[in-house]
Amino acid sequence: MFRPDLHSHTRLSDGALSPTALVNRAAERGVTHLAITDHDCMDALDEAREAAASLDLVMIPGTEISTCWRSGQTDREIHIVGLLQDQHDAGLDALLRHHQHLRRERVAELARQLRGKGIDGVQQYVDTLDCISAGRNHVADFLIQQGHASSKQDAFKRFLGRQGRLNTPAPWCDMATAIDAIRSAGGIAILAHPDRYRLGKRQLRGLMDEFADVGGSGLEVSYSNLNPDVLRYLAEQADSRGLWASVGSDFHTPETTWMDLGRLRQLPADCEPRAVWHHPDWPSLNAA
């Protein structure tokens, strides 16, 4: 049975599992084609491929690049998933390493601001992690562990989010730069989880229009915990722009069972022919 999951994370970014553990869990869950899409990072792929070699599981090269999109007078962080790109492409690697540097700078700035509020130890905590692309989620974990926040939602609301006391936007590249890097590396650029950016319908349509205009290839149409009506809407939006439809759980941890690997709604029947696994540059999936 064909069961793809093209959006997941390991502890090399903000996931809980090692690449090997993630691959094993995906196989146990019946996933047949898996993309690890760590934030601004592709370093999990070699270990994952080795772990998948003895399993009935096809590994798809992937990453999730943070970008900045201006909506009106406000900058929005938008995530672009890259699939099938060459992990050793020099241009893409340079962009990912630069973003990893920006992430380290952001964590350092958050640690500095927290020290000013009497909360110390963030940097030391992050430095102990088996992580290449550190981010605000790791700072949130620290705040929860130290009793300064009750949950991730609480940590972002009070400290780390757009309205939080420590809001520190990162100077990510724009969408066109990320898309160009993915395409130059032979990959397919996908707009990740479109309904999670808290945009009105007009703004969301504007985002999808601009994404397509600057060379984006696909749209995540099915992902975890998605309302069926929204899934249908996204399928229609992908079709109207000639975008490929992708699917992915956005798995981070086994604790969030509603976002477990392979836990996805099927694409609508009229959308399936535009599924990303039918892309002409994706022979491994076409042959599966």
Side-chain angles (χ1 to χ4, degrees):
M1 179 181 178
F2 177 60
R3 193 177 188 187
D5 191 330
L6 305 177
H7 189 158
S8 66
H9 298 275
T10 75
R11 66 188 183 197
L12 272 64
S13 64
D14 59 349
L17 303 182
S18 69
T20 296
L22 179 68
V23 166
N24 289 334
R25 185 175 184 87
E28 292 168 0
R29 296 279 300 165
V31 173
T32 59
H33 296 77
L34 176 69
I36 292 176
T37 55
D38 281 325
H39 294 283
D40 302 310
C41 176
M42 290 189 68
D43 294 61
L45 185 57
D46 289 339
E47 180 184 334
R49 278 176 168 157
E50 184 175 349
S54 60
L55 302 170
D56 189 17
L57 180 66
V58 177
M59 288 304 307
I60 306 301
T63 189
E64 184 174 10
I65 302 178
S66 300
T67 72
C68 186
W69 177 65
R70 177 160 287 275
S71 174
Q73 299 300 311
T74 304
D75 289 337
R76 299 274 186 168
E77 182 173 308
I78 303 297
H79 292 177
I80 309 296
V81 165
L83 299 175
L84 202 66
Q85 63 275 356
D86 176 7
Q87 71 183 111
H88 302 297
D89 178 82
L92 177 61
D93 183 69
L95 176 62
L96 297 181
R97 299 303 171 193
H98 177 60
H99 275 211
Q100 290 163 24
H101 172 72
L102 295 178
R103 286 176 171 277
R104 289 190 293 270
E105 286 191 332
R106 188 187 216 181
V107 169
E109 175 59 20
L110 287 169
R112 185 192 68 79
Q113 292 186 36
L114 283 167
R115 280 196 301 272
K117 297 183 180 298
I119 302 174
D120 200 4
V122 171
Q123 191 66 62
Q124 294 88 333
Y125 168 77
V126 172
D127 288 345
T128 66
L129 301 176
D130 183 17
C131 177
I132 291 174
S133 285
R136 289 178 299 172
N137 271 304
H138 300 100
V139 179
D141 288 337
F142 173 84
L143 292 171
I144 294 167
Q145 290 180 20
Q146 297 300 310
H148 301 293
S150 59
S151 64
K152 287 275 183 78
Q153 183 178 10
D154 182 45
F156 274 83
K157 181 178 180 179
R158 294 172 51 212
F159 294 100
L160 305 172
R162 294 178 63 86
Q163 306 303 321
R165 285 176 280 172
L166 307 178
N167 184 27
T168 53
W172 309 123
C173 69
D174 59 22
M175 287 198 300
T177 298
I179 291 168
D180 285 347
I182 291 167
R183 295 182 64 177
S184 295
I188 302 168
I190 308 290
L191 180 61
H193 41 62
D195 83 319
R196 292 184 184 168
Y197 300 119
R198 297 184 179 181
L199 299 172
K201 279 197 172 183
R202 178 179 294 181
Q203 284 181 306
L204 180 55
R205 288 194 298 269
L207 170 62
M208 291 185 287
D209 286 341
E210 185 171 334
F211 172 80
D213 289 344
V214 296
S217 301
L219 193 69
E220 271 190 352
V221 169
S222 179
Y223 40 97
S224 296
N225 209 30
L226 184 65
N227 182 292
D229 291 337
V230 177
L231 187 155
R232 166 54 64 181
Y233 174 75
L234 293 177
E236 293 170 352
Q237 296 303 306
D239 180 67
S240 68
R241 292 168 177 81
L243 297 173
W244 298 92
S246 190
V247 302
S249 62
D250 197 10
F251 172 86
H252 285 76
T253 169
E255 294 180 4
T256 53
T257 56
W258 57 93
M259 294 176 67
D260 209 344
L261 290 158
R263 189 163 184 174
L264 300 162
R265 297 182 186 276
Q266 288 187 333
L267 294 176
D270 56 349
C271 180
E272 206 281 337
R274 291 287 300 176
V276 69
W277 47 88
H278 296 307
H279 191 283
D281 293 336
W282 213 329
S284 61
L285 284 179
N286 291 335

